[in-house]
Amino acid sequence: LLEVRDLSRVYVSGQQTVTALRDITFAVDPGEFMSIMGPSGSGKSTLMNILGCLDHPTDGDYLIGGRSVLNLKTSELAELRGGKIGFVFQTFNLIPTLTAQANVEVPMMYRGHPARIRRERALKALERVGLEHRADHLPSQLSGGEQQRVAVARALSTDPSLILADEPTGNLDSETSRSIMKLLRQINENTGVTVIQVTHDDDMATYGERLMALQDGRITEDHQVDTA
Amino acid sequence: LLEVRDLSRVYVSGQQTVTALRDITFAVDPGEFMSIMGPSGSGKSTLMNILGCLDHPTDGDYLIGGRSVLNLKTSELAELRGGKIGFVFQTFNLIPTLTAQANVEVPMMYRGHPARIRRERALKALERVGLEHRADHLPSQLSGGEQQRVAVARALSTDPSLILADEPTGNLDSETSRSIMKLLRQINENTGVTVIQVTHDDDMATYGERLMALQDGRITEDHQVDTA
Ligand SMILES: Nc1ncnc2c1ncn2[C@@H]1O[C@H](COP(=O)(O)OP(=O)(O)OP(=O)(O)O)[C@@H](O)[C@H]1O
Ligand SMILES: Nc1ncnc2c1ncn2[C@@H]1O[C@H](COP(=O)(O)OP(=O)(O)OP(=O)(O)O)[C@@H](O)[C@H]1O
Ligand SMILES: [Mg+2]
Ligand SMILES: [Mg+2]
Protein backbone atom coordinates (compact mmCIF):
# COMPACT_ATOMS: atom_id res chain seq x y z
CA LEU A 1 0.00 0.00 0.00
CA LEU A 2 2.65 2.53 1.09
CA GLU A 3 6.30 2.68 0.19
CA VAL A 4 8.87 5.17 1.40
CA ARG A 5 12.32 5.26 -0.27
CA ASP A 6 15.32 7.22 1.03
CA LEU A 7 13.00 9.92 2.27
CA SER A 8 14.44 13.11 3.70
CA ARG A 9 12.79 16.25 4.98
CA VAL A 10 14.83 19.33 5.71
CA TYR A 11 13.27 22.49 7.13
CA VAL A 12 15.00 25.72 6.22
CA SER A 13 14.10 28.78 8.32
CA GLY A 14 16.36 31.73 7.75
CA GLN A 15 19.90 30.64 8.46
CA GLN A 16 19.00 27.50 10.32
CA THR A 17 18.30 24.15 8.72
CA VAL A 18 16.70 21.27 10.60
CA THR A 19 16.95 17.79 9.10
CA ALA A 20 13.75 16.33 10.52
CA LEU A 21 13.98 13.05 8.56
CA ARG A 22 16.89 11.39 6.81
CA ASP A 23 17.15 8.28 4.61
CA ILE A 24 13.81 6.84 5.69
CA THR A 25 13.01 3.59 3.89
CA PHE A 26 10.14 1.19 4.68
CA ALA A 27 6.97 -0.30 3.23
CA VAL A 28 3.54 -0.91 4.74
CA ASP A 29 1.18 -3.60 3.49
CA PRO A 30 -2.60 -3.17 3.36
CA GLY A 31 -4.18 -4.12 6.67
CA GLU A 32 -1.08 -3.62 8.80
CA PHE A 33 -1.26 -1.95 12.22
CA MET A 34 2.00 -0.18 12.98
CA SER A 35 3.07 1.97 15.92
CA ILE A 36 5.76 4.63 15.64
CA MET A 37 7.60 5.68 18.78
CA GLY A 38 10.52 7.97 19.51
CA PRO A 39 11.70 10.95 21.55
CA SER A 40 10.15 14.39 21.30
CA GLY A 41 11.46 16.05 18.14
CA SER A 42 12.61 12.82 16.47
CA GLY A 43 10.53 13.38 13.31
CA LYS A 44 7.35 11.37 13.93
CA SER A 45 4.82 14.07 13.06
CA THR A 46 6.93 15.14 10.08
CA LEU A 47 6.77 11.57 8.77
CA MET A 48 3.02 11.35 9.42
CA ASN A 49 2.41 14.60 7.54
CA ILE A 50 4.27 13.23 4.52
CA LEU A 51 2.40 9.90 4.69
CA GLY A 52 -0.86 11.88 4.80
CA CYS A 53 0.12 14.00 1.76
CA LEU A 54 0.09 17.16 3.86
CA ASP A 55 3.77 17.74 3.29
CA HIS A 56 6.29 16.72 0.63
CA PRO A 57 9.73 15.09 0.87
CA THR A 58 12.82 17.22 0.30
CA ASP A 59 14.49 14.11 -1.10
CA GLY A 60 13.54 10.54 -1.87
CA ASP A 61 10.12 9.19 -2.77
CA TYR A 62 6.77 8.18 -1.32
CA LEU A 63 4.47 5.85 -3.23
CA ILE A 64 0.83 5.13 -2.47
CA GLY A 65 -0.63 2.12 -4.23
CA GLY A 66 2.47 2.02 -6.39
CA ARG A 67 2.13 5.65 -7.58
CA SER A 68 4.63 8.30 -6.57
CA VAL A 69 3.10 11.31 -4.83
CA LEU A 70 5.63 13.45 -6.69
CA ASN A 71 3.65 12.74 -9.88
CA LEU A 72 0.13 13.17 -8.54
CA LYS A 73 -1.97 16.16 -9.54
CA THR A 74 -3.21 18.57 -6.86
CA SER A 75 -6.72 17.19 -7.30
CA GLU A 76 -5.53 13.61 -6.81
CA LEU A 77 -3.68 14.57 -3.62
CA ALA A 78 -6.77 16.36 -2.34
CA GLU A 79 -8.85 13.28 -3.11
CA LEU A 80 -6.47 11.13 -1.06
CA ARG A 81 -6.38 13.53 1.85
CA GLY A 82 -10.12 14.09 1.78
CA GLY A 83 -11.36 10.56 1.73
CA LYS A 84 -9.03 7.62 1.58
CA ILE A 85 -6.87 8.82 4.46
CA GLY A 86 -8.29 9.54 7.90
CA PHE A 87 -5.98 11.78 9.97
CA VAL A 88 -5.95 12.36 13.71
CA PHE A 89 -3.68 15.36 14.32
CA GLN A 90 -1.48 15.72 17.39
CA THR A 91 -3.19 19.04 18.15
CA PHE A 92 -6.70 17.91 17.18
CA ASN A 93 -7.31 20.87 14.78
CA LEU A 94 -11.07 21.10 15.25
CA ILE A 95 -12.89 24.05 13.70
CA PRO A 96 -13.80 26.26 16.70
CA THR A 97 -17.04 27.56 15.24
CA LEU A 98 -18.50 24.10 14.46
CA THR A 99 -20.09 21.68 16.90
CA ALA A 100 -18.58 18.25 17.53
CA GLN A 101 -21.05 16.71 15.10
CA ALA A 102 -20.41 19.31 12.39
CA ASN A 103 -16.67 18.83 12.81
CA VAL A 104 -17.06 15.10 12.27
CA GLU A 105 -19.15 15.78 9.14
CA VAL A 106 -16.60 18.07 7.48
CA PRO A 107 -14.67 15.40 5.47
CA MET A 108 -17.98 13.91 4.31
CA MET A 109 -19.13 17.31 3.06
CA TYR A 110 -16.05 17.48 0.84
CA ARG A 111 -16.99 14.08 -0.56
CA GLY A 112 -20.50 15.28 -1.33
CA HIS A 113 -22.40 12.90 0.93
CA PRO A 114 -26.04 13.99 1.40
CA ALA A 115 -26.95 15.61 4.71
CA ARG A 116 -28.92 12.69 6.10
CA ILE A 117 -26.09 10.24 5.49
CA ARG A 118 -23.55 12.63 7.02
CA ARG A 119 -25.61 13.13 10.14
CA GLU A 120 -26.17 9.38 10.61
CA ARG A 121 -22.52 8.50 10.15
CA ALA A 122 -21.32 11.40 12.31
CA LEU A 123 -23.56 10.43 15.22
CA LYS A 124 -22.50 6.79 14.87
CA ALA A 125 -18.82 7.81 14.89
CA LEU A 126 -19.37 9.98 17.98
CA GLU A 127 -21.14 7.09 19.66
CA ARG A 128 -18.16 4.82 18.99
CA VAL A 129 -15.88 7.24 20.87
CA GLY A 130 -18.42 7.72 23.68
CA LEU A 131 -19.44 11.27 22.80
CA GLU A 132 -22.92 11.19 21.33
CA HIS A 133 -24.03 13.28 24.35
CA ARG A 134 -21.62 16.04 23.32
CA ALA A 135 -22.65 16.24 19.67
CA ASP A 136 -23.87 19.84 19.96
CA HIS A 137 -20.96 21.20 21.99
CA LEU A 138 -18.42 23.53 20.43
CA PRO A 139 -14.74 22.58 20.88
CA SER A 140 -14.43 25.27 23.59
CA GLN A 141 -17.19 23.45 25.46
CA LEU A 142 -15.34 20.16 25.41
CA SER A 143 -12.60 18.78 27.64
CA GLY A 144 -9.15 18.17 26.12
CA GLY A 145 -9.78 14.45 25.89
CA GLU A 146 -13.23 15.01 24.40
CA GLN A 147 -11.74 17.20 21.66
CA GLN A 148 -9.22 14.49 20.92
CA ARG A 149 -11.98 11.89 20.65
CA VAL A 150 -13.96 14.10 18.27
CA ALA A 151 -10.83 14.20 16.09
CA VAL A 152 -10.73 10.39 16.14
CA ALA A 153 -14.42 10.21 15.19
CA ARG A 154 -13.78 12.66 12.33
CA ALA A 155 -10.93 10.50 10.99
CA LEU A 156 -13.21 7.45 10.92
CA SER A 157 -16.22 9.13 9.36
CA THR A 158 -15.34 8.65 5.68
CA ASP A 159 -14.49 4.95 6.04
CA PRO A 160 -10.89 5.58 5.02
CA SER A 161 -8.53 2.81 3.86
CA LEU A 162 -5.62 4.33 5.81
CA ILE A 163 -5.79 5.85 9.29
CA LEU A 164 -2.91 8.03 10.46
CA ALA A 165 -3.24 8.78 14.16
CA ASP A 166 -0.65 11.14 15.66
CA GLU A 167 -0.81 10.50 19.42
CA PRO A 168 -4.57 9.76 19.51
CA THR A 169 -4.57 9.08 23.28
CA GLY A 170 -2.12 11.67 24.61
CA ASN A 171 -4.87 13.50 26.51
CA LEU A 172 -6.91 10.48 27.59
CA ASP A 173 -7.08 8.53 30.85
CA SER A 174 -6.05 4.86 30.62
CA GLU A 175 -9.57 3.48 30.36
CA THR A 176 -10.63 5.83 27.57
CA SER A 177 -7.26 5.27 25.84
CA ARG A 178 -7.83 1.53 25.84
CA SER A 179 -11.30 1.88 24.38
CA ILE A 180 -9.98 4.09 21.55
CA MET A 181 -7.20 1.60 20.80
CA LYS A 182 -9.66 -1.30 20.87
CA LEU A 183 -11.83 0.63 18.43
CA LEU A 184 -8.88 1.15 16.07
CA ARG A 185 -7.89 -2.47 16.26
CA GLN A 186 -11.46 -3.57 15.65
CA ILE A 187 -11.64 -1.47 12.50
CA ASN A 188 -8.26 -2.81 11.44
CA GLU A 189 -9.24 -6.46 11.97
CA ASN A 190 -12.81 -6.31 10.71
CA THR A 191 -12.43 -4.09 7.66
CA GLY A 192 -8.74 -4.37 6.82
CA VAL A 193 -8.05 -0.65 7.28
CA THR A 194 -4.32 0.09 7.53
CA VAL A 195 -3.50 1.90 10.78
CA ILE A 196 -0.34 3.82 11.57
CA GLN A 197 -0.23 5.48 14.97
CA VAL A 198 2.34 7.61 16.74
CA THR A 199 2.36 7.05 20.47
CA HIS A 200 4.54 7.73 23.49
CA ASP A 201 2.78 5.00 25.46
CA ASP A 202 4.24 1.50 25.48
CA ASP A 203 0.86 0.01 26.37
CA MET A 204 -0.86 1.68 23.43
CA ALA A 205 1.89 0.43 21.12
CA THR A 206 0.96 -3.18 21.95
CA TYR A 207 -2.29 -2.84 20.01
CA GLY A 208 -0.27 -2.90 16.79
CA GLU A 209 1.65 -5.80 15.29
CA ARG A 210 4.68 -3.81 14.20
CA LEU A 211 6.83 -1.24 15.94
CA MET A 212 9.01 1.39 14.32
CA ALA A 213 11.28 3.63 16.36
CA LEU A 214 12.65 6.99 15.21
CA GLN A 215 15.57 8.88 16.65
CA ASP A 216 17.02 12.11 15.25
CA GLY A 217 15.10 11.64 12.02
CA ARG A 218 16.28 8.09 11.35
CA ILE A 219 14.66 4.68 11.76
CA THR A 220 16.44 2.85 14.58
CA GLU A 221 14.03 -0.10 14.90
CA ASP A 222 11.44 -1.71 12.66
CA HIS A 223 10.12 -5.13 13.60
CA GLN A 224 7.10 -7.28 14.34
CA VAL A 225 5.84 -7.31 17.91
CA ASP A 226 3.37 -9.47 19.79
CA THR A 227 -0.05 -7.92 19.82
CA ALA A 228 -1.60 -7.57 23.26
CA LEU B 1 -2.37 29.06 50.50
CA LEU B 2 -5.46 27.86 48.62
CA GLU B 3 -8.85 26.92 50.00
CA VAL B 4 -11.83 25.64 48.05
CA ARG B 5 -15.23 25.42 49.82
CA ASP B 6 -18.30 23.68 48.40
CA LEU B 7 -17.29 24.73 44.93
CA SER B 8 -19.58 24.07 42.02
CA ARG B 9 -19.32 24.95 38.35
CA VAL B 10 -22.25 24.54 36.04
CA TYR B 11 -22.04 25.26 32.33
CA VAL B 12 -25.26 26.36 30.67
CA SER B 13 -25.35 26.19 26.86
CA GLY B 14 -28.80 26.70 25.43
CA GLN B 15 -31.05 24.05 26.91
CA GLN B 16 -28.31 21.85 28.22
CA THR B 17 -26.59 22.23 31.55
CA VAL B 18 -23.39 20.42 32.44
CA THR B 19 -22.39 20.26 36.11
CA ALA B 20 -18.64 20.07 35.65
CA LEU B 21 -17.84 20.35 39.37
CA ARG B 22 -19.99 19.79 42.45
CA ASP B 23 -19.34 20.31 46.17
CA ILE B 24 -15.59 20.48 45.85
CA THR B 25 -13.89 21.13 49.20
CA PHE B 26 -10.15 20.98 49.91
CA ALA B 27 -7.17 23.09 50.99
CA VAL B 28 -3.59 23.25 49.73
CA ASP B 29 -0.70 24.39 51.92
CA PRO B 30 2.24 26.41 50.59
CA GLY B 31 4.92 24.14 49.19
CA GLU B 32 2.67 21.16 48.54
CA PHE B 33 2.98 19.09 45.35
CA MET B 34 -0.37 17.58 44.43
CA SER B 35 -1.45 15.51 41.45
CA ILE B 36 -5.04 15.43 40.19
CA MET B 37 -6.19 12.41 38.20
CA GLY B 38 -9.51 11.31 36.79
CA PRO B 39 -11.33 10.20 33.65
CA SER B 40 -11.71 12.37 30.58
CA GLY B 41 -14.47 14.91 31.26
CA SER B 42 -14.38 14.53 35.05
CA GLY B 43 -13.77 18.25 35.69
CA LYS B 44 -9.99 18.51 36.11
CA SER B 45 -9.37 21.39 33.68
CA THR B 46 -12.46 23.18 34.96
CA LEU B 47 -11.03 23.03 38.49
CA MET B 48 -7.59 24.17 37.28
CA ASN B 49 -9.13 27.16 35.48
CA ILE B 50 -10.88 28.23 38.68
CA LEU B 51 -7.71 27.74 40.75
CA GLY B 52 -5.87 29.89 38.20
CA CYS B 53 -8.51 32.66 38.35
CA LEU B 54 -9.38 32.13 34.68
CA ASP B 55 -12.92 31.07 35.54
CA HIS B 56 -15.30 31.68 38.43
CA PRO B 57 -17.34 29.28 40.59
CA THR B 58 -21.09 29.07 40.03
CA ASP B 59 -21.43 28.28 43.74
CA GLY B 60 -19.17 28.06 46.76
CA ASP B 61 -15.92 29.89 47.36
CA TYR B 62 -12.24 29.92 46.48
CA LEU B 63 -9.75 31.68 48.73
CA ILE B 64 -6.15 32.53 47.89
CA GLY B 65 -4.01 33.55 50.84
CA GLY B 66 -7.18 33.80 52.90
CA ARG B 67 -8.91 36.22 50.52
CA SER B 68 -11.95 35.20 48.55
CA VAL B 69 -11.59 35.61 44.78
CA LEU B 70 -15.22 36.69 44.74
CA ASN B 71 -14.11 39.94 46.43
CA LEU B 72 -10.99 40.65 44.41
CA LYS B 73 -10.90 43.53 41.95
CA THR B 74 -10.24 42.81 38.27
CA SER B 75 -6.78 44.31 38.64
CA GLU B 76 -5.96 42.05 41.58
CA LEU B 77 -7.09 38.97 39.67
CA ALA B 78 -4.98 40.04 36.69
CA GLU B 79 -2.01 40.52 39.00
CA LEU B 80 -2.41 36.97 40.32
CA ARG B 81 -2.82 35.46 36.88
CA GLY B 82 0.03 37.47 35.41
CA GLY B 83 2.72 36.82 37.95
CA LYS B 84 2.08 34.78 41.05
CA ILE B 85 0.51 31.88 39.17
CA GLY B 86 2.33 30.03 36.40
CA PHE B 87 -0.07 28.10 34.17
CA VAL B 88 0.65 25.27 31.73
CA PHE B 89 -2.49 24.82 29.64
CA GLN B 90 -3.66 21.46 28.34
CA THR B 91 -3.56 22.83 24.80
CA PHE B 92 -0.35 24.85 25.26
CA ASN B 93 -1.89 28.13 23.95
CA LEU B 94 1.28 29.60 22.48
CA ILE B 95 1.02 32.77 20.41
CA PRO B 96 1.57 31.58 16.82
CA THR B 97 3.29 34.76 15.64
CA LEU B 98 5.91 34.80 18.41
CA THR B 99 9.06 32.71 18.66
CA ALA B 100 9.58 30.25 21.51
CA GLN B 101 11.70 32.81 23.35
CA ALA B 102 9.20 35.63 22.84
CA ASN B 103 6.39 33.36 24.04
CA VAL B 104 8.31 32.63 27.23
CA GLU B 105 8.87 36.38 27.74
CA VAL B 106 5.19 37.34 27.47
CA PRO B 107 4.28 37.08 31.20
CA MET B 108 7.42 39.04 32.09
CA MET B 109 6.45 41.81 29.68
CA TYR B 110 3.18 42.21 31.56
CA ARG B 111 5.17 42.58 34.77
CA GLY B 112 7.34 45.27 33.26
CA HIS B 113 10.67 43.46 33.45
CA PRO B 114 13.35 45.18 31.32
CA ALA B 115 14.28 43.53 28.04
CA ARG B 116 17.69 42.27 29.11
CA ILE B 117 16.27 40.56 32.21
CA ARG B 118 13.45 39.01 30.18
CA ARG B 119 15.83 37.64 27.58
CA GLU B 120 18.16 36.16 30.19
CA ARG B 121 15.38 34.50 32.14
CA ALA B 122 13.62 33.25 29.01
CA LEU B 123 16.78 31.60 27.66
CA LYS B 124 17.45 30.07 31.07
CA ALA B 125 13.90 28.70 31.25
CA LEU B 126 14.20 27.26 27.73
CA GLU B 127 17.50 25.68 28.70
CA ARG B 128 15.89 23.99 31.69
CA VAL B 129 13.37 22.30 29.39
CA GLY B 130 16.05 21.38 26.85
CA LEU B 131 15.02 23.86 24.15
CA GLU B 132 17.57 26.65 24.02
CA HIS B 133 18.37 25.49 20.45
CA ARG B 134 14.77 26.19 19.42
CA ALA B 135 14.52 29.71 20.89
CA ASP B 136 13.93 31.34 17.49
CA HIS B 137 11.41 28.84 16.14
CA LEU B 138 7.76 29.75 15.78
CA PRO B 139 5.24 27.33 17.33
CA SER B 140 4.46 25.97 13.84
CA GLN B 141 8.15 25.11 13.55
CA LEU B 142 8.14 23.08 16.74
CA SER B 143 7.11 19.50 17.43
CA GLY B 144 4.07 18.90 19.68
CA GLY B 145 6.26 18.02 22.62
CA GLU B 146 8.48 21.03 22.01
CA GLN B 147 5.45 23.34 22.08
CA GLN B 148 4.39 21.77 25.35
CA ARG B 149 7.84 22.32 26.82
CA VAL B 150 7.83 25.99 25.75
CA ALA B 151 4.55 26.31 27.66
CA VAL B 152 6.26 24.84 30.74
CA ALA B 153 9.18 27.27 30.37
CA ARG B 154 6.71 30.15 30.07
CA ALA B 155 4.96 29.12 33.28
CA LEU B 156 8.28 29.13 35.16
CA SER B 157 9.59 32.42 33.78
CA THR B 158 8.04 34.80 36.34
CA ASP B 159 9.17 32.77 39.38
CA PRO B 160 5.56 32.12 40.40
CA SER B 161 4.55 30.96 43.88
CA LEU B 162 1.94 28.58 42.43
CA ILE B 163 2.35 26.41 39.35
CA LEU B 164 -0.76 24.90 37.78
CA ALA B 165 0.19 22.36 35.14
CA ASP B 166 -2.68 20.80 33.17
CA GLU B 167 -1.21 17.61 31.69
CA PRO B 168 2.32 19.01 31.18
CA THR B 169 3.67 15.73 29.76
CA GLY B 170 0.76 14.44 27.65
CA ASN B 171 2.77 14.85 24.43
CA LEU B 172 6.17 13.83 25.71
CA ASP B 173 8.14 10.60 25.56
CA SER B 174 8.92 8.98 28.91
CA GLU B 175 12.46 10.33 29.19
CA THR B 176 11.48 13.92 28.46
CA SER B 177 8.43 13.53 30.76
CA ARG B 178 10.65 12.45 33.61
CA SER B 179 13.01 15.38 33.13
CA ILE B 180 10.08 17.84 33.18
CA MET B 181 8.69 16.25 36.35
CA LYS B 182 12.13 16.29 37.99
CA LEU B 183 12.38 19.97 37.11
CA LEU B 184 9.01 20.69 38.74
CA ARG B 185 9.92 18.75 41.83
CA GLN B 186 13.29 20.52 42.04
CA ILE B 187 11.57 23.90 41.95
CA ASN B 188 9.06 22.69 44.52
CA GLU B 189 11.74 21.39 46.91
CA ASN B 190 14.31 24.15 46.46
CA THR B 191 12.11 27.22 46.38
CA GLY B 192 8.90 26.06 48.05
CA VAL B 193 6.72 26.72 45.01
CA THR B 194 3.31 25.05 45.31
CA VAL B 195 2.68 22.70 42.37
CA ILE B 196 -0.66 21.29 41.29
CA GLN B 197 -0.59 19.08 38.20
CA VAL B 198 -3.25 17.23 36.27
CA THR B 199 -1.97 14.01 34.78
CA HIS B 200 -3.29 10.82 33.24
CA ASP B 201 0.02 9.06 33.92
CA ASP B 202 0.43 7.07 37.16
CA ASP B 203 4.22 7.40 36.94
CA MET B 204 4.07 11.18 36.65
CA ALA B 205 1.69 11.30 39.64
CA THR B 206 4.39 9.75 41.86
CA TYR B 207 6.42 12.97 41.72
CA GLY B 208 3.86 14.60 43.99
CA GLU B 209 3.20 13.86 47.66
CA ARG B 210 -0.57 14.05 47.45
CA LEU B 211 -3.10 12.55 45.07
CA MET B 212 -6.62 13.81 44.39
CA ALA B 213 -9.01 11.91 42.15
CA LEU B 214 -12.03 13.41 40.41
CA GLN B 215 -14.99 11.57 38.95
CA ASP B 216 -18.09 13.18 37.47
CA GLY B 217 -17.16 16.52 39.02
CA ARG B 218 -16.67 15.23 42.55
CA ILE B 219 -13.60 14.40 44.63
CA THR B 220 -13.46 10.64 45.13
CA GLU B 221 -9.96 10.44 46.67
CA ASP B 222 -7.66 12.87 48.43
CA HIS B 223 -4.69 11.48 50.33
CA GLN B 224 -0.95 11.53 50.85
CA VAL B 225 1.12 9.24 48.66
CA ASP B 226 4.72 8.10 48.74
CA THR B 227 6.86 10.25 46.51
CA ALA B 228 8.97 8.33 43.98
N1 LIG C 1 -17.89 25.70 28.12
C1 LIG C 1 -18.49 24.51 28.37
N2 LIG C 1 -19.81 24.35 28.15
C2 LIG C 1 -20.41 23.17 28.38
N3 LIG C 1 -19.79 22.08 28.85
C3 LIG C 1 -18.47 22.17 29.08
C4 LIG C 1 -17.74 23.38 28.84
N4 LIG C 1 -16.43 23.15 29.13
C5 LIG C 1 -16.35 21.88 29.54
N5 LIG C 1 -17.57 21.28 29.50
C6 LIG C 1 -17.88 19.91 29.92
O1 LIG C 1 -17.52 19.80 31.29
C7 LIG C 1 -16.94 18.52 31.56
C8 LIG C 1 -15.61 18.70 32.28
O2 LIG C 1 -14.67 19.28 31.41
P1 LIG C 1 -13.13 19.37 31.81
O3 LIG C 1 -12.43 20.07 30.69
O4 LIG C 1 -12.99 19.98 33.15
O5 LIG C 1 -12.72 17.83 31.89
P2 LIG C 1 -11.28 17.16 32.13
O6 LIG C 1 -11.36 16.36 33.39
O7 LIG C 1 -10.19 18.19 32.05
O8 LIG C 1 -11.15 16.15 30.92
P3 LIG C 1 -9.87 15.70 30.03
O9 LIG C 1 -9.14 14.70 30.84
O10 LIG C 1 -10.52 15.10 28.81
O11 LIG C 1 -9.05 16.90 29.70
C9 LIG C 1 -16.81 17.81 30.22
O12 LIG C 1 -17.76 16.77 30.16
C10 LIG C 1 -17.08 18.87 29.17
O13 LIG C 1 -17.84 18.35 28.08
N1 LIG D 1 8.43 24.11 10.13
C1 LIG D 1 9.56 23.76 10.79
N2 LIG D 1 10.68 24.49 10.66
C2 LIG D 1 11.82 24.14 11.33
N3 LIG D 1 11.93 23.08 12.14
C3 LIG D 1 10.84 22.32 12.32
C4 LIG D 1 9.59 22.61 11.67
N4 LIG D 1 8.68 21.69 12.05
C5 LIG D 1 9.31 20.85 12.89
N5 LIG D 1 10.61 21.22 13.05
C6 LIG D 1 11.62 20.54 13.85
O1 LIG D 1 11.75 19.22 13.31
C7 LIG D 1 11.94 18.26 14.36
C8 LIG D 1 10.94 17.14 14.20
O2 LIG D 1 9.63 17.61 14.47
P1 LIG D 1 8.40 16.59 14.61
O3 LIG D 1 7.19 17.43 14.83
O4 LIG D 1 8.37 15.65 13.45
O5 LIG D 1 8.80 15.77 15.93
P2 LIG D 1 7.97 14.66 16.73
O6 LIG D 1 8.76 13.41 16.69
O7 LIG D 1 6.57 14.60 16.25
O8 LIG D 1 8.00 15.21 18.22
P3 LIG D 1 6.90 15.17 19.41
O9 LIG D 1 6.98 13.80 19.99
O10 LIG D 1 7.40 16.22 20.34
O11 LIG D 1 5.57 15.49 18.82
C9 LIG D 1 11.77 19.02 15.68
O12 LIG D 1 13.05 19.13 16.29
C10 LIG D 1 11.23 20.38 15.31
O13 LIG D 1 11.82 21.43 16.07
MG1 LIG E 1 4.72 15.08 17.07
MG1 LIG F 1 -8.65 18.56 30.72
Side-chain angles (χ1 to χ4, degrees):
Chain A
L1 181 68
L2 311 177
E3 208 186 327
V4 174
R5 295 177 186 165
D6 300 318
L7 191 90
S8 290
R9 180 63 169 102
V10 179
Y11 294 114
V12 182
S13 45
Q15 295 194 347
Q16 202 188 14
T17 64
V18 176
T19 304
L21 295 172
R22 56 182 91 216
D23 308 326
I24 302 288
T25 296
F26 67 94
V28 179
D29 294 329
E32 275 202 77
F33 192 139
M34 174 165 88
S35 305
I36 301 177
M37 301 188 80
S40 178
S42 55
K44 305 177 299 296
S45 296
T46 301
L47 177 58
M48 293 291 267
N49 287 339
I50 292 174
L51 294 178
C53 300
L54 296 162
D55 189 21
H56 51 268
T58 322
D59 244 321
D61 207 354
Y62 169 43
L63 300 94
I64 300 187
R67 300 172 68 204
S68 165
V69 294
L70 305 175
N71 298 331
L72 294 179
K73 302 199 210 75
T74 319
S75 56
E76 290 171 303
L77 288 167
E79 160 73 18
L80 277 167
R81 284 195 302 259
K84 299 192 64 181
I85 301 173
F87 212 127
V88 185
F89 294 91
Q90 188 169 4
T91 44
F92 322 147
N93 292 11
L94 299 180
I95 299 175
T97 45
L98 299 183
T99 62
Q101 178 179 335
N103 263 289
V104 174
E105 290 189 23
V106 167
M108 287 188 273
M109 297 197 69
Y110 278 113
R111 308 211 72 187
H113 293 299
R116 190 179 53 78
I117 299 282
R118 293 199 312 262
R119 189 171 50 248
E120 266 176 46
R121 292 178 112 184
L123 289 171
K124 194 141 160 258
L126 284 171
E127 201 179 334
R128 294 180 87 176
V129 301
L131 285 178
E132 65 284 3
H133 63 299
R134 290 282 182 265
D136 298 329
H137 281 225
L138 296 173
S140 60
Q141 298 170 327
L142 295 170
S143 77
E146 289 169 343
Q147 292 176 35
Q148 192 164 32
R149 283 184 275 158
V150 171
V152 172
R154 179 179 61 183
L156 306 179
S157 62
T158 52
D159 260 342
S161 46
L162 168 66
I163 293 172
L164 299 171
D166 197 343
E167 305 208 28
T169 62
N171 277 278
L172 301 176
D173 58 275
S174 14
E175 183 173 340
T176 315
S177 296
R178 276 193 295 269
S179 75
I180 292 295
M181 295 312 303
K182 286 198 182 101
L183 174 63
L184 289 178
R185 195 156 87 187
Q186 220 174 48
I187 295 169
N188 170 254
E189 290 178 345
N190 297 351
T191 64
V193 174
T194 308
V195 178
I196 301 176
Q197 68 157 344
V198 168
T199 182
H200 281 308
D201 193 318
D202 294 311
D203 293 332
M204 298 305 119
T206 62
Y207 285 88
E209 67 224 17
R210 175 180 176 186
L211 179 64
M212 173 179 294
L214 292 188
Q215 189 140 350
D216 294 320
R218 295 178 194 277
I219 296 176
T220 52
E221 282 183 52
D222 184 2
H223 51 83
Q224 298 289 314
V225 292
D226 294 325
T227 315
Chain B
L1 182 66
L2 311 177
E3 208 186 327
V4 174
R5 295 178 186 164
D6 299 317
L7 191 92
S8 290
R9 180 63 169 101
V10 180
Y11 294 115
V12 182
S13 45
Q15 295 197 346
Q16 202 187 15
T17 63
V18 175
T19 304
L21 294 172
R22 57 184 89 216
D23 309 325
I24 302 287
T25 296
F26 67 93
V28 179
D29 296 327
E32 276 202 74
F33 193 139
M34 175 166 86
S35 304
I36 303 176
M37 301 188 79
S40 178
S42 55
K44 306 178 297 297
S45 296
T46 301
L47 178 57
M48 293 292 268
N49 287 339
I50 291 173
L51 294 177
C53 299
L54 296 163
D55 189 21
H56 51 268
T58 322
D59 244 321
D61 207 353
Y62 170 42
L63 301 93
I64 300 187
R67 302 172 68 203
S68 165
V69 295
L70 304 175
N71 299 330
L72 293 179
K73 302 199 211 76
T74 317
S75 55
E76 290 171 301
L77 287 167
E79 161 72 19
L80 276 167
R81 284 194 301 258
K84 299 193 66 183
I85 301 174
F87 213 127
V88 186
F89 294 92
Q90 189 169 3
T91 43
F92 322 147
N93 293 11
L94 299 181
I95 299 174
T97 46
L98 299 183
T99 63
Q101 178 179 336
N103 263 291
V104 174
E105 289 189 24
V106 167
M108 287 186 275
M109 297 198 69
Y110 278 114
R111 309 211 74 186
H113 293 299
R116 190 177 54 78
I117 300 283
R118 293 199 312 262
R119 188 171 51 247
E120 265 175 45
R121 294 178 112 183
L123 289 172
K124 197 145 160 257
L126 283 171
E127 201 179 334
R128 295 180 87 176
V129 300
L131 285 177
E132 66 285 2
H133 63 299
R134 289 284 183 265
D136 298 330
H137 280 228
L138 296 172
S140 59
Q141 298 171 327
L142 296 170
S143 77
E146 289 169 346
Q147 292 176 36
Q148 192 165 33
R149 282 184 276 160
V150 171
V152 172
R154 179 179 61 184
L156 305 180
S157 62
T158 51
D159 259 342
S161 46
L162 169 65
I163 292 173
L164 299 171
D166 197 342
E167 304 207 28
T169 62
N171 277 280
L172 301 175
D173 58 276
S174 14
E175 182 172 339
T176 315
S177 296
R178 277 193 293 271
S179 76
I180 292 295
M181 295 312 302
K182 287 201 181 100
L183 173 63
L184 289 178
R185 195 155 88 186
Q186 219 172 49
I187 294 169
N188 170 254
E189 289 178 347
N190 297 350
T191 64
V193 175
T194 308
V195 178
I196 302 176
Q197 66 155 348
V198 168
T199 182
H200 282 307
D201 193 319
D202 294 311
D203 293 333
M204 298 303 117
T206 63
Y207 286 86
E209 67 224 18
R210 175 180 177 186
L211 179 64
M212 174 180 293
L214 292 188
Q215 189 140 351
D216 294 320
R218 295 177 193 278
I219 296 175
T220 53
E221 281 183 53
D222 184 2
H223 52 83
Q224 298 290 311
V225 292
D226 295 325
T227 315

